[in-house]
């Protein structure tokens, strides 16, 4: 019923995708298609809010886009030529409908719908202050903080109030909002999470990844710049830069795992970058073997790169069932364990008697690697070498990629030798941080001015972490929240 701290959850961070369109007939139908293409960014819930120039209409549901946004819902219940939508992965106990986005509120300026990808790292602190001043929160989502800040801003216009709100935020946010004054797309000053702008006829679109444009037949225009706020309405497109300019730090993990390989992120093809990561990995960590085997699907491009660089044949030694979601994107350890077994099966006829190199994008808790190494041995592999297309993940992400608490990360518990013993591989090696940057076209990581947010690997967080820093002082969060399941 009642819990103590709405933000105190092992898996508090959200992984999300956003999509918005202004100026298209049956806008909600286009949003549904766009969200479909972004489904990999969050599979627990989806929502669409449309605007018909008089009223806002919303449908939010737990589950996949496909199951919840059929023609009937979209066309009949979500009319209008403007709409925004959201796919989300959320946390145990907090996956209830009230947290499903877009969030919507009636402000003095009219309706306001917001879809957010990222995580506000001072949301708890802001919320505490807002509640003390009388705000009544309806969800436990950090995104709601933004709405309250806009609502309580002393600025007169919606846009000024919105900018005022953004200036109080710390952390990562790529936002798409629908308001009577237009659609707003914006990215935090560091540009941690991606956001791109496209065109479908005369309509303008914002989406988390360019793959969503391909799917709806839209044209990619450009990225929304870090710290940029774009207002789209019937008068046209207006770009604002309300923040002091700082060096951007887009998330490196989007390239490692999160984005779809057919997306262009930070101006680079995710697929090409991943292949290049595999090539660098092969240069840095060669090993004699008979086969290079990807852990599907996320390890596949890096495995191709590894195989091409090393000259060792690439083979599909693990077959993945496509009817199970991403391992990680399921709450609860029990389900996650079960998920791994359901998801992958060894191609025994190929593996038997072979020395194999397994390539995966990352090790988080170590569940997948442990299972897959064992699976290879059961299938008769004589040697199992694991190669990981990212450095050890030693730190939690507070910017919108779901990672468990630090103590659950395998790399926070063991060094590489300890991890190798844990997963029972004959060898284990990770790409170096400089190797990863090289794959992205840099000469290496600039330690003075890191080009990316790589805090999950380095612990170098590009913002202060107000909520985390304040945690030691909080014995019990004063806000009680009803837990909706
Ligand atoms: P684990 O089994 O806990 O070590 O998780 C590693 C697997 O989860 C890898 O195969 C990755 O492809 C995948 N993965 C890594 N990071 C994430 C994430 N943030 N969300 C979902 N899956 C992830």
């Amino acid at each position: 019923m009642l819990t103590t701290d709405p933000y105190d959850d092992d898996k508090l961070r959200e992984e999300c995708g956003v999509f918005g369109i202004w100026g298209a007939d049956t806008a909600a139908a286009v949003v549904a298609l766009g969200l479909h293409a972004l489904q990999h960014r969050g599979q627990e819930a989806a929502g669409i809010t449309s605007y018909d120039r008089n009223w806002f209409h919303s449908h939010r549901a737990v589950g996949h886009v496909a199951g919840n946004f059929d023609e009937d819902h979209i066309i009949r219940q979500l009319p209008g030529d403007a709409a925004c939508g959201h796919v989300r992965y959320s946390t145990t106990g907090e996956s209830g409908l009230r947290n499903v986005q877009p969030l919507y509120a009636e402000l003095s300026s009219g309706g306001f719908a917001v879809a957010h990808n990222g995580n506000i790292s001072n949301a708890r602190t802001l919320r505490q202050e807002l509640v003390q001043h009388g705000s009544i929160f309806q969800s436990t989502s950090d995104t709601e903080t933004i709405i309250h800040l806009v609502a309580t801003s002393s600025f007169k216009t919606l846009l000024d109030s919105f900018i005022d709100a953004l200036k109080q935020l710390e952390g990562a946010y790529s936002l798409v909002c629908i308001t009577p004054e237009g659609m707003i797309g914006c990215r935090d000053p560091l540009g941690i999470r991606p956001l791109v702008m496209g065109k479908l006829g005369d309509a303008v679109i914002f989406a988390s990844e360019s793959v969503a444009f391909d799917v709806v037949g839209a044209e990619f225009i450009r990225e929304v710049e870090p710290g940029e706020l774009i207002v789209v309405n019937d008068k046209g497109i207006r770009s604002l830069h309300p923040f002091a300019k700082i060096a951007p730090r887009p998330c490196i993990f989007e390239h490692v795992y999160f984005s779809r390989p057919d997306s262009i992120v930070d101006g680079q093809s995710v697929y090409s970058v991943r292949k290049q990561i595999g090539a660098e990995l092969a240069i840095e960590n060669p090993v004699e073997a008979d086969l290079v085997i990807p852990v599907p699907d996320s390890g596949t491009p890096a495995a191709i790169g590894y195989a091409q660089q090393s000259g060792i044949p690439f083979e599909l030694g693990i077959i993945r069932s496509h009817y199970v979601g991403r391992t990680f994107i399921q709450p609860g350890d029990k389900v996650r364990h079960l998920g791994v077994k359901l998801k992958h099966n060894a191609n025994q006829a190929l593996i038997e008697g072979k020395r194999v190199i397994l390539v995966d994008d990352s090790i988080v808790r170590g569940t997948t690697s442990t299972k897959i190494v064992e699976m290879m041995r059961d299938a008769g592999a004589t040697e199992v070498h694991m190669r990981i297309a990212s450095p050890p993940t030693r730190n939690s992400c507070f910017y919108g990629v779901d990672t468990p608490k630090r103590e659950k990360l395998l790399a926070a518990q063991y060094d590489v030798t300890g991890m190798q013993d844990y997963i029972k591989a004959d060898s284990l090696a990770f790409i170096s941080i400089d190797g990863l940057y090289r794959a992205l076209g840099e000469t290496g990581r600039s330690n003075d001015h890191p080009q990316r947010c790589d805090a999950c690997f380095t612990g170098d967080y590009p913002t202060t972490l107000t909520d985390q820093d304040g945690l030691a002082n909080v014995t019990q969060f004063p806000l009680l929240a009803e837990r909706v399941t």
Side-chain angles (χ1 to χ4, degrees):
M1 243 175 52
L2 295 178
T3 64
T4 48
D5 183 348
Y7 294 135
D8 185 18
D9 194 312
D10 173 25
K11 302 182 83 271
L12 82 98
R13 270 71 53 187
E14 293 163 16
E15 304 184 316
C16 302
V18 296
F19 188 100
I21 185 161
W22 185 272
D25 288 342
T26 58
V30 184
V31 174
L33 284 173
L35 291 182
H36 213 282
L38 300 174
Q39 187 79 79
H40 60 286
R41 297 184 72 87
Q43 302 170 354
E44 264 190 33
I48 298 178
T49 301
S50 70
Y51 175 53
D52 66 10
R53 307 297 176 114
N54 280 311
W55 303 101
F56 284 80
H57 310 266
S58 201
H59 180 68
R60 301 181 297 159
V62 171
H64 286 194
V65 179
N68 284 299
F69 290 91
D70 49 51
E71 287 278 301
D72 200 36
H73 273 127
I74 296 164
I75 310 289
R76 286 212 274 127
Q77 296 185 27
L78 302 170
D81 72 343
C84 66
H86 190 263
V87 284
R88 107 185 213 112
Y89 165 73
S90 87
T91 60
T92 317
E94 294 302 342
S95 337
L97 256 189
R98 65 181 179 161
N99 281 341
V100 178
Q101 299 191 24
L103 296 185
Y104 175 77
E106 296 281 344
L107 305 180
S108 56
S109 52
F112 182 84
V114 55
H116 170 207
N117 175 207
N119 189 68
I120 311 296
S121 56
N122 63 342
R124 170 207 298 263
T125 310
L126 291 169
R127 179 179 172 131
Q128 198 159 355
E129 286 161 18
L130 285 159
V131 169
Q132 269 156 12
H133 287 95
S135 286
I136 299 170
F137 277 73
Q138 301 291 318
S139 75
T140 57
S141 154
D142 60 329
T143 309
E144 194 184 345
T145 310
I146 303 172
I147 295 180
H148 287 273
L149 290 174
V150 179
T152 55
S153 169
S154 53
F155 282 84
K156 294 258 169 349
T157 67
L158 170 68
L159 200 55
D160 287 341
S161 302
F162 186 62
I163 292 170
D164 180 40
L166 297 184
K167 287 188 171 168
Q168 296 172 65
L169 305 179
E170 162 201 286
Y173 51 89
S174 283
L175 302 171
V176 178
C177 310
I178 299 287
T179 79
E181 290 173 37
M183 173 169 70
I184 306 172
C186 71
R187 250 174 120 186
D188 65 75
L190 292 161
I192 297 178
R193 302 259 71 86
L195 191 67
V196 287
M197 181 161 75
K199 240 182 125 184
L200 182 64
D202 291 334
V204 177
I205 305 182
F206 292 117
S208 293
E209 290 179 39
S210 62
V211 64
F213 299 155
D214 300 346
V215 170
V216 304
E219 187 191 325
F220 174 88
I221 302 180
R222 66 174 176 89
E223 293 197 15
V224 177
E225 289 167 21
E228 186 181 22
L229 186 154
I230 301 176
V231 184
V232 180
N233 55 29
D234 300 341
K235 290 186 225 143
I237 300 174
R238 196 170 145 215
S239 159
L240 305 168
H241 287 87
F243 306 100
K245 207 165 169 51
I246 48 171
R249 301 275 298 270
C251 168
I252 207 161
F253 204 70
E254 290 280 348
H255 280 285
V256 168
Y257 169 81
F258 206 28
S259 294
R260 251 174 70 155
D262 44 349
S263 279
I264 307 290
V265 173
D266 314 321
Q268 283 174 291
S269 147
V270 175
Y271 180 73
S272 307
V273 168
R274 284 187 191 157
K275 262 179 68 180
Q276 196 49 41
I277 296 174
E280 289 284 344
L281 186 60
I283 295 167
E284 288 186 352
N285 299 293
V287 58
E288 261 189 44
D290 304 309
L291 304 174
V292 174
I293 292 174
V295 179
D297 292 327
S298 50
T300 304
I304 294 173
Y306 195 104
Q308 288 178 354
Q309 178 66 38
S310 63
I312 301 170
F314 170 93
E315 293 285 359
L316 297 180
I318 302 166
I319 305 303
R320 176 185 160 182
S321 161
H322 284 273
Y323 307 103
V324 187
R326 284 179 156 194
T327 317
F328 211 86
I329 305 188
Q330 285 175 13
D333 275 335
K334 268 194 189 150
V335 180
R336 201 172 293 113
H337 275 77
L338 186 69
V340 173
K341 273 190 248 154
L342 281 173
K343 201 168 147 181
H344 298 118
N345 190 36
N347 181 358
Q348 184 160 359
L350 173 79
I351 304 296
E352 203 148 20
K354 303 282 184 1
R355 298 168 300 169
V356 302
I357 303 173
L358 296 174
V359 180
D360 202 358
D361 63 280
S362 58
I363 293 183
V364 183
R365 293 177 177 78
T367 318
T368 309
S369 311
T370 309
K371 296 274 175 204
I372 280 174
V373 169
E374 190 187 348
M375 204 182 274
M376 291 295 106
R377 295 209 193 278
D378 288 350
T382 54
E383 287 175 28
V384 184
H385 303 279
M386 189 91 199
R387 293 293 177 269
I388 304 296
S390 61
T393 302
R394 291 206 173 92
N395 308 282
S396 302
C397 176
F398 301 107
Y399 303 125
V401 172
D402 174 65
T403 43
K405 274 190 173 158
R406 192 164 189 272
E407 53 269 25
K408 288 208 178 174
L409 296 171
L410 198 65
Q413 301 168 52
Y414 300 102
D415 61 9
V416 175
T417 316
M419 292 173 84
Q420 180 181 313
D421 293 346
Y422 183 93
I423 68 169
K424 299 193 172 68
D426 294 299
S427 77
L428 168 68
F430 294 79
I431 193 169
S432 68
I433 190 79
D434 283 325
L436 180 55
Y437 274 88
R438 279 197 296 277
L440 283 154
E442 310 277 353
T443 49
R445 181 182 198 264
S446 158
N447 291 330
D448 293 337
H449 302 287
Q451 304 93 320
R452 307 264 166 176
C453 177
D454 53 17
C456 49
F457 308 130
T458 61
D460 176 5
Y461 293 95
T463 70
T464 43
L465 296 172
T466 302
D467 291 347
Q468 296 304 311
D469 296 343
L471 271 185
N473 307 323
V474 182
T475 44
Q476 183 159 340
F477 199 66
L479 302 172
L480 297 181
E482 188 189 351
R483 204 170 263 265
V484 180
T485 50

